[in-house]
Amino acid sequence: MQNYLWNMLINIQNGQIAKLNFILHPRKMPCEAVLQILWKNGYILGYQVDKNNYKKFKIFLKYKHNKAVINSIKKLSNTGYNIFYSIYGTWKIKNNSSLVLIFTPKGIKSITVSKKFKIGGQPFVLIN
């Protein structure tokens, strides 16, 4: 599951570096949850199911002053190095200008939502 998400995030970042208006990515349920989080936090303009191929998402990229919104993506946890945060451990993460995605028992959430609902989990990626 993490490979789909990681590939999607890297494709978004590469698309922004290449100054593309949109990218196409295979349609998967975890990817849709992450796209919803990215859209709500202002990292992409939006997404939709492609009209020509219903098995792909069309992700519209966002730029601010002709520069990419996503500057860097850092993978926090992978198969060889797993990190888990309890409910109290999530409060130690400071997210001033970045977005941390976390796998929780209730799905993929941002760190601010997991703090709000008091859910711990495995952090996946840090987006600046």
Side-chain angles (χ1 to χ4, degrees):
M1 178 170 80
Q2 291 182 359
N3 287 336
Y4 289 119
L5 300 175
W6 183 248
N7 288 339
M8 181 186 68
L9 292 171
I10 293 301
N11 285 339
I12 289 172
Q13 184 181 20
N14 289 340
Q16 286 185 332
I17 290 170
K19 303 278 187 195
L20 299 176
N21 291 329
F22 66 89
I23 62 165
L24 294 174
H25 191 269
R27 187 176 174 193
K28 302 287 181 190
M29 287 302 285
C31 293
E32 187 169 5
V34 170
L35 287 173
Q36 188 69 25
I37 293 169
L38 290 175
W39 178 69
K40 284 183 180 178
N41 289 304
Y43 286 96
I44 59 172
L45 288 176
Y47 67 96
Q48 68 180 14
V49 177
D50 189 26
K51 294 176 183 175
N52 297 330
N53 187 358
Y54 67 92
K55 293 183 180 181
K56 292 194 178 223
F57 281 124
K58 192 175 198 180
I59 304 167
F60 300 99
L61 306 177
K62 185 175 181 179
Y63 300 94
K64 194 174 208 178
H65 303 294
N66 211 11
K67 292 185 179 177
V69 173
I70 296 175
N71 296 325
S72 67
I73 297 175
K74 182 180 178 185
K75 197 170 193 179
L76 297 176
S77 181
N78 55 23
T79 55
Y81 181 69
N82 290 329
I83 303 170
F84 293 96
Y85 287 120
S86 65
I87 297 167
Y88 304 108
T90 57
W91 289 97
K92 294 180 182 178
I93 300 173
K94 295 188 174 154
N95 53 340
N96 299 337
S97 64
S98 60
L99 175 69
V100 178
L101 298 178
I102 186 167
F103 291 122
T104 67
K106 297 190 178 189
I108 301 170
K109 307 283 183 198
S110 68
I111 196 71
T112 54
V113 173
S114 66
K115 286 179 183 179
K116 180 180 175 183
F117 292 117
K118 298 179 181 174
I119 305 170
Q122 180 181 8
F124 172 61
V125 70
L126 172 74
I127 302 171
N128 287 331

